[in-house]
Amino acid sequence: MTTRRQVYLDHAATTPVHPSVLQEMHKVLETHFGNPSSLHFYGRAAKQHLEVARERVARLLGAGQQEIIFTSGGTEADNLAVMGTALSYQERGRHIITSTIEHHAVIDPCQMLARNGFEVTFLPVDKDGVVDPGDVKKAIRRDTILITIMHANNEIGTIEPVPEIGKVARKHGIIFHTDAVQTAGYLPINVDDLNVDLLSISAHKIYGPKGAGALYIRQGVELKPLIHGGGQEKTCRPGTENLPGIIGLGKAAEIAASEHLYESRRYKQLSDRLIQGIKALIPDAKINGHPEKRLPHNVNVSFRGAKGECLLVGLDQEGIAVSTGSACSSGSSQLSHVLEAIGLSQEEGAGTIRMTVGRSTTVDDIDYVLGVLTDLVEKLRRDQA
């Protein structure tokens, strides 16, 4: 009996835990159960491990160790950045600028604030999903207190002109946040080069565990906490720290900092092979996102006449795991807000899948996917004609 090939192409949704990360987490779970806030030996040992993880994350981002706050993940980090800034600076103004393609972890808190006395400007993007820094500049008002634009989009992979937007924000004295959940470990990140004041990352996107993330907070920026009840993490995120998860995040950050350039080059080669194969083998396929300024591991493509859900199921039956968009909004038959923002029709959006390569992906995997995908699209188009 032939074993079915298994190919995981959904690394933008989550990544497997790196063996070195798992090993370090096991060690902490077995030997360091102390509360980092306790003053005795067990607590001090736990605190030391916590600070090592903080330094590793800071090094990945080019930040100071004291500027890193640990959270439960990217969603909490985004919420803390958006709502914490709004609550802290609302006496100065109540206007926020963001884009129409942000992750819901940014869009939803912005909408909540809009229902509670704040004004939010949602900037459009072009057909490739790029925010124009000029539009950001035009949208600024005297009462603008926050600009939040993601570093790269989680669905279509487009990299945003964050350094340029950051210069605009800095010139006007406005706090600037970027969601870097999809870029940490894939693109070089330095908070000073990006001109950001706040930056969010998540462990499980960089081969760390779920349930851990971090927020970079530039020294001098004040955030109101969303959770109350303790003094941990400079009171910004009270509660006993998830030490094993944070240790895992720290180790994943260390690995990403040392290996991301090599891995990203390899990811791009694999993605390019996938894109070129699709263009050569499958007629009327549309690659979404910017053709050049895109994440090295992300391929988002629309197939007219083949529904995305049917593609996902058909590929899954052949051992290939992909996504019909963002895993955070899976299960919805509506056109995603990102695909709608870049002007895709309902038909194009309905036939869209996202494939994201990772550490385990090989050239043979890509060739296998191309063979299965070509036959599947042809069959679905014939059946749905």
Side-chain angles (χ1 to χ4, degrees):
M1 182 178 176
T2 304
T3 303
R4 186 181 66 177
R5 190 183 191 99
Q6 289 190 319
V7 181
Y8 183 72
L9 291 184
D10 203 14
H11 291 85
T14 196
T15 55
V17 177
H18 192 287
S20 297
V21 171
L22 193 60
Q23 185 178 14
E24 194 144 331
M25 290 178 67
H26 274 158
K27 182 180 177 182
V28 170
L29 281 164
E30 290 171 355
T31 61
H32 296 289
F33 60 86
N35 188 320
S37 296
S38 298
L39 299 179
H40 47 60
F41 170 79
Y42 297 96
R44 294 198 306 273
K47 181 72 170 178
Q48 184 177 5
H49 282 281
L50 185 74
E51 295 310 316
V52 168
R54 201 185 307 277
E55 174 58 31
R56 286 171 169 175
V57 172
R59 197 176 300 125
L60 175 66
L61 305 180
Q65 183 175 343
Q66 74 282 1
E67 296 176 307
I68 303 300
I69 297 297
F70 291 118
T71 67
S72 65
T75 294
E76 185 187 349
D78 283 344
N79 272 257
L80 179 56
V82 173
M83 296 176 64
T85 299
L87 295 174
S88 187
Y89 292 90
Q90 60 183 320
E91 297 303 319
R92 184 184 300 177
R94 290 193 160 211
H95 180 234
I96 297 168
I97 298 171
T98 188
S99 82
T100 53
I101 63 165
E102 299 300 308
H103 191 280
H104 278 289
V106 167
I107 287 180
D108 289 4
C110 282
Q111 290 176 336
M112 189 282 293
L113 289 168
R115 293 191 296 269
N116 288 273
F118 287 81
E119 290 186 66
V120 182
T121 298
F122 290 92
L123 297 176
V125 294
D126 65 16
K127 63 180 178 58
D128 295 323
V130 179
V131 177
D132 186 344
D135 289 345
V136 176
K137 185 176 180 180
K138 291 175 187 176
I140 291 174
R141 309 183 333 197
R142 292 183 63 182
D143 60 340
T144 304
I145 57 171
L146 174 67
I147 298 170
T148 174
I149 303 292
M150 65 197 334
H151 194 191
N153 187 261
N154 52 300
E155 288 192 42
I156 59 175
T158 296
I159 300 170
E160 300 298 337
V162 166
E164 292 82 358
I165 295 171
K167 286 180 182 178
V168 173
R170 185 152 296 175
K171 182 178 179 181
H172 290 82
I174 299 167
I175 294 172
F176 181 38
H177 165 251
T178 193
D179 177 337
V181 166
Q182 291 292 332
T183 57
Y186 295 95
L187 301 179
I189 291 182
N190 182 287
V191 292
D192 289 332
D193 292 342
L194 292 177
N195 298 310
V196 296
D197 302 300
L198 301 162
L199 181 146
S200 307
I201 67 169
S202 177
H204 78 101
K205 306 292 189 179
I206 58 171
Y207 299 86
K210 297 170 183 64
L215 178 65
Y216 157 75
I217 307 173
R218 185 175 292 278
Q219 199 162 7
V221 174
E222 298 180 6
L223 298 183
K224 291 282 188 184
L226 306 184
I227 302 172
H228 302 272
Q232 293 90 347
E233 299 302 297
K234 297 184 178 180
T235 72
C236 279
R237 207 283 184 179
T240 302
E241 294 92 346
N242 169 19
L243 188 61
I246 289 169
I247 294 303
L249 167 58
K251 185 61 177 178
E254 180 184 57
I255 295 169
S258 64
E259 297 182 4
H260 78 84
L261 288 178
Y262 164 76
E263 288 294 337
S264 290
R265 281 195 292 267
R266 194 177 68 85
Y267 296 156
K268 188 176 187 304
Q269 291 171 353
L270 292 169
S271 294
D272 286 348
R273 187 181 186 92
L274 182 56
I275 290 171
Q276 290 162 10
I278 289 171
K279 288 180 176 179
L281 297 170
I282 306 176
D284 206 15
K286 182 182 186 300
I287 307 298
N288 300 311
H290 197 282
E292 297 170 0
K293 298 174 183 177
R294 61 184 304 119
L295 289 170
H297 66 306
N298 183 300
V299 177
N300 185 291
V301 58
S302 299
F303 302 97
R304 285 183 182 273
K307 291 184 179 179
E309 289 83 358
C310 296
L311 286 166
L312 188 150
V313 172
L315 290 169
D316 183 59
Q317 290 174 344
E318 298 298 326
I320 302 167
V322 304
S323 169
T324 52
S326 168
C328 304
S329 59
S330 61
S332 172
S333 60
Q334 289 185 328
L335 188 65
S336 84
H337 69 287
V338 174
L339 300 182
E340 185 176 13
I342 63 173
L344 260 62
S345 66
Q346 189 67 40
E347 182 187 6
E348 289 172 322
T352 300
I353 60 172
R354 180 188 67 181
M355 296 172 281
T356 42
V357 305
R359 287 178 179 270
S360 63
T361 313
T362 65
V363 170
D364 288 344
D365 289 336
I366 297 300
D367 292 343
Y368 173 69
V369 170
L370 285 170
V372 173
L373 187 60
T374 301
D375 292 343
L376 180 59
V377 171
E378 184 180 349
K379 179 182 181 300
L380 291 174
R381 283 174 170 173
R382 187 171 59 246
D383 294 345
Q384 295 172 18

